[in-house]
Amino acid sequence: MLKEECKALLDALNKVTACYRHLVLTIGGTSDSQNLREELKKTRQKAQELAVANRNKLTSTLKDHRLTKEDKAEFERLWVIFTTCMDILETDMRRALVLGQEFPLNIPKKHLIQTGMSGGTSGVAARAMSVQNMRYDAEHNIDVMDLKDLEDEINLMDEMMYEMEMKVNVPQWTVEAKQDPGAELKSTMSAGASPGIISLDDHKSICDLNKVLAGVVFSAVLIIAIILAVCVVKLS
């Protein structure tokens, strides 16, 4: 039961962190707006709440000396995933700070970037917050006010990660992965495959056949070109 709770918390943190990254990438673009800045703030706060919950749960669990060897290895694996997720979150928070300073909404210093992305971001934020629809109630100058809060939260994040390293020391290179790289992606594709979808092996075979046919056609064209060149030389 404890292991499942930790996995559920970690999955929630991964989802919110991924949504936050998606939102950060739209700062300064044509989709940027006051609503986006509020979505960023709420999503970031949600991620930090989940981070604290993950830290408390995993820290207390890993400090329990009654854990079996197998359980300890599993929780250490979850801890490494958690710390990696924290690194990603902190990086995106710093990126959001820099972009927010470069692209204020009310006093624009630069033109918006034509990123090619269009449409709103409320769906991503709602998914991160696990709500049907986002509600907006921030002040009109949230883009300026939130930057100071963001700086403070980045410092708190640094302190939190330092304390985590002091309480639980799990070097990443000591934790073995349970699956090969890309195994989860392959298993997801296999599980979602339908009879009408070509498998990876079949696709590879088709690609190889196409390469052979292309080689034959190219060789034939080359031979014909040589023959024509010889004929032209003889006729001239």
Side-chain angles (χ1 to χ4, degrees):
M1 181 63 70
L2 180 59
K3 191 182 300 183
E4 296 303 321
E5 290 179 4
C6 290
K7 287 183 178 179
L9 279 173
L10 189 56
D11 287 342
L13 177 60
N14 284 331
K15 181 185 74 172
V16 177
T17 302
C19 291
Y20 183 68
R21 164 160 289 193
H22 181 92
L23 295 174
V24 169
L25 294 177
T26 59
I27 300 176
T30 53
S31 299
D32 199 355
S33 64
Q34 181 176 330
N35 287 347
L36 172 66
R37 302 304 174 95
E38 187 174 352
E39 291 164 2
L40 281 163
K41 180 177 182 178
K42 291 182 177 180
T43 305
R44 183 182 75 237
Q45 291 174 343
K46 179 69 173 180
Q48 291 178 84
E49 292 174 4
L50 289 169
V52 172
N54 274 278
R55 179 201 63 184
N56 295 340
K57 182 73 70 173
L58 288 172
T59 300
S60 60
T61 302
L62 285 170
K63 292 174 69 175
D64 188 353
H65 299 289
R66 296 171 297 177
L67 283 176
T68 63
K69 184 177 180 180
E70 292 77 11
D71 287 341
K72 184 178 180 181
E74 177 63 17
F75 281 111
E76 286 181 346
R77 187 182 71 86
L78 295 178
W79 178 266
V80 170
I81 297 175
F82 168 56
T83 54
T84 303
C85 191
M86 291 287 289
D87 288 335
I88 294 173
L89 178 60
E90 184 198 17
T91 300
D92 288 336
M93 288 171 66
R94 293 184 181 279
R95 182 181 290 115
L97 178 62
V98 173
L99 290 174
Q101 293 170 340
E102 289 291 325
F103 296 98
L105 294 176
N106 298 322
I107 311 176
K109 297 180 181 179
K110 298 181 180 179
H111 294 292
L112 297 178
I113 300 173
Q114 296 291 338
T115 60
M117 298 179 63
S118 61
T121 55
S122 58
V124 177
R127 187 160 60 250
M129 304 300 295
S130 299
V131 296
Q132 289 286 340
N133 298 297
M134 288 291 297
R135 297 180 59 184
Y136 302 97
D137 53 7
E139 299 291 335
H140 70 282
N141 59 342
I142 183 176
D143 58 319
V144 178
M145 295 175 59
D146 190 48
L147 291 179
K148 177 57 179 175
D149 294 337
L150 181 54
E151 286 187 77
D152 295 338
E153 290 171 17
I154 290 174
N155 293 330
L156 290 174
M157 181 73 71
D158 288 338
E159 294 176 5
M160 176 179 169
M161 295 178 69
Y162 177 76
E163 292 176 359
M164 285 165 48
E165 293 178 359
M166 295 297 101
K167 292 181 178 179
V168 178
N169 184 21
V170 181
Q172 294 190 4
W173 57 87
T174 63
V175 178
E176 296 183 3
K178 297 179 65 177
Q179 295 177 325
D180 295 330
E184 294 182 356
L185 178 61
K186 292 178 181 178
S187 63
T188 302
M189 293 178 63
S190 299
S194 63
I197 297 178
I198 300 174
S199 65
L200 292 176
D201 293 336
D202 292 340
H203 182 70
K204 184 178 180 181
S205 300
I206 293 174
C207 290
D208 293 339
L209 180 60
N210 289 337
K211 290 179 181 178
V212 173
L213 291 175
V216 171
V217 172
F218 178 77
S219 300
V221 172
L222 183 60
I223 293 172
I224 293 172
I226 294 174
I227 295 173
L228 290 176
V230 172
C231 293
V232 170
V233 171
K234 288 184 176 180
L235 291 175
S236 62

